[in-house]
Amino acid sequence: MTLPARAADAAPLKLGYAKCAHCLPMALTPGLAQGVTIEATGFNSGNDVLTALVSKSIDVAQVTYLHYVTALDKGFDVVAISGQVNGGSECLSTPALDLPKDNWTAFKAQVEKAKAAGTPLKIAASRGNAQDIHMRGAFAKQGIDVNKDLQFVNIPNPSDHIAALRRGEIDMVCTVEPFASQIRLAGAGKPFMLPYDQAAGKLTNLIVTRSDVIAARRADVQATVAAVVALVDKLKADKSVWTDAIVKQTGLDKSIAESALDNAFPDYAIHKPETLAIARMMKDLKYISNDVTPAIDKTLDYSFLEAVTKRSKNDLGY
């Protein structure tokens, strides 16, 4: 790929990412960058990353598709320029339920029994994150309304999910990796299902920037997308670098890091139909106030991916 000309004294491009299993390899992008100096910083959550982007503390951000939709709803200037990694969602039940994996018939029977007794099953997630949307969509497809048939428990920090299961405060949780693997390997919860059978599919991570960054530093943004594509290709070829990044940055046991990657799908494409589906689901759930589907059409910029991969936007998820 021929990179656009770049000023020799240009400042480093500041990139932010969240501290989840799928996000942490973004720390490797500085070492993969050519023609740009990237400063990569880890944040505690995707919300923190988005705040840093819109406040112009950073130039490029790894967030989720939901953060992108939320930003558009609030009128923020965000432009999607690449995918990164999808997947990472899992629903796990308390061992006390003795619920067989993927057995919806058994689960529906328990849901109806508990509801009839006036003590609906309690299901937790971090409200408004990708796992929350995946879970609600998958349950709705099975005829289960999370708000009417279950008692929803909002636990904002996924690191608290395992304790809630252990204390018997919830019957099921839909959480993110590596916390799902931590719960599974500790025996605090049993795998029930991967909630990808819904309109949003398995989409999670997205790379976004602002229009002013593109206008002022197009060459650097282009080079950053090239680094993300190189990262995705690297993760597909060798998950050991990914495992090492998780262990190094979190201190988690290697077995948990390796398990987390069984439910990870590196992907630099930007999937427009599923993005629109997420926006519609978030509007229906009243997580956003406006119909942002027209804004999505205007702020998905495939030009950087097209230049790096030599593929058309129709081959890149448009």
Side-chain angles (χ1 to χ4, degrees):
M1 182 189 70
T2 301
L3 294 173
R6 177 177 183 267
D9 59 349
L13 185 138
K14 297 180 180 178
L15 180 151
Y17 61 92
K19 294 179 179 177
C20 76
H22 295 57
C23 317
L24 289 171
M26 291 298 293
L28 303 175
T29 52
L32 297 169
Q34 297 182 36
V36 65
T37 301
I38 296 175
E39 284 185 1
T41 303
F43 290 77
N44 287 331
S45 71
N47 288 333
D48 294 340
V49 182
L50 180 61
T51 299
L53 179 71
V54 300
S55 65
K56 301 189 177 181
S57 297
I58 60 175
D59 306 303
V60 172
Q62 171 272 309
V63 294
T64 67
Y65 280 79
L66 280 78
H67 287 108
Y68 162 67
V69 169
T70 299
L72 294 178
D73 181 55
K74 293 180 178 178
F76 295 147
D77 175 13
V78 290
V79 182
I81 52 177
S82 176
Q84 187 238 349
V85 175
N86 295 318
S89 302
E90 183 172 3
C91 291
L92 304 107
S93 64
T94 177
L97 278 188
D98 194 25
L99 188 63
K101 187 177 181 181
D102 294 322
N103 191 328
W104 284 102
T105 300
F107 182 51
K108 289 179 184 177
Q110 296 208 31
V111 169
E112 289 302 318
K113 183 179 178 181
K115 185 179 175 183
T119 55
L121 296 181
K122 297 177 181 177
I123 184 159
S126 302
R127 188 192 300 276
N129 70 3
Q131 290 65 49
D132 181 31
I133 292 292
H134 289 165
M135 172 194 73
R136 290 175 186 272
F139 279 28
K141 196 163 183 180
Q142 294 291 331
I144 300 173
D145 187 318
V146 169
N147 293 328
K148 295 178 180 176
D149 300 319
L150 302 166
Q151 180 179 341
F152 179 74
V153 180
N154 179 33
I155 304 178
N157 191 338
S159 66
D160 295 330
H161 290 170
I162 187 171
L165 274 171
R166 282 176 163 158
R167 289 194 295 262
E169 296 171 356
I170 55 176
D171 300 293
M172 184 178 288
V173 64
C174 193
T175 191
V176 65
E177 293 291 0
F179 303 105
S181 290
Q182 194 175 26
I183 290 170
R184 193 183 327 108
L185 295 175
K190 293 177 59 178
F192 175 55
M193 60 115 182
L194 303 181
Y196 301 141
D197 186 19
Q198 34 70 35
K202 58 185 69 171
L203 292 192
T204 47
N205 289 358
L206 190 65
I207 308 298
V208 298
T209 185
R210 303 186 309 273
S211 59
D212 64 292
V213 177
I214 294 175
R217 306 186 61 177
R218 188 172 187 89
D220 291 341
V221 173
Q222 181 68 78
T224 301
V225 171
V228 173
V229 170
L231 173 67
V232 169
D233 288 341
K234 191 176 185 69
L235 297 178
K236 286 180 177 178
D238 182 8
K239 284 191 175 181
S240 66
V241 297
W242 197 345
T243 304
D244 293 343
I246 295 172
V247 171
K248 181 179 179 181
Q249 296 191 58
T250 66
L252 279 172
D253 186 88
K254 188 176 181 180
S255 63
I256 294 176
E258 290 175 338
S259 176
L261 301 188
D262 290 340
N263 184 13
F265 310 95
D267 182 7
Y268 50 68
I270 306 171
H271 298 274
K272 181 179 175 181
E274 290 86 351
T275 307
L276 295 172
I278 289 172
R280 295 187 188 103
M281 291 168 69
M282 292 178 69
K283 178 72 166 53
D284 290 344
L285 290 166
K286 303 187 187 308
Y287 286 1
I288 59 174
S289 303
N290 304 297
D291 175 10
V292 300
T293 53
I296 288 174
D297 200 43
K298 296 177 182 176
T299 57
L300 296 182
D301 189 339
Y302 288 85
S303 64
F304 301 100
L305 280 175
E306 287 180 312
V308 175
T309 65
K310 307 302 181 189
R311 299 168 62 191
S312 73
K313 65 181 184 181
N314 289 329
D315 293 332
L316 293 164
Y318 183 73

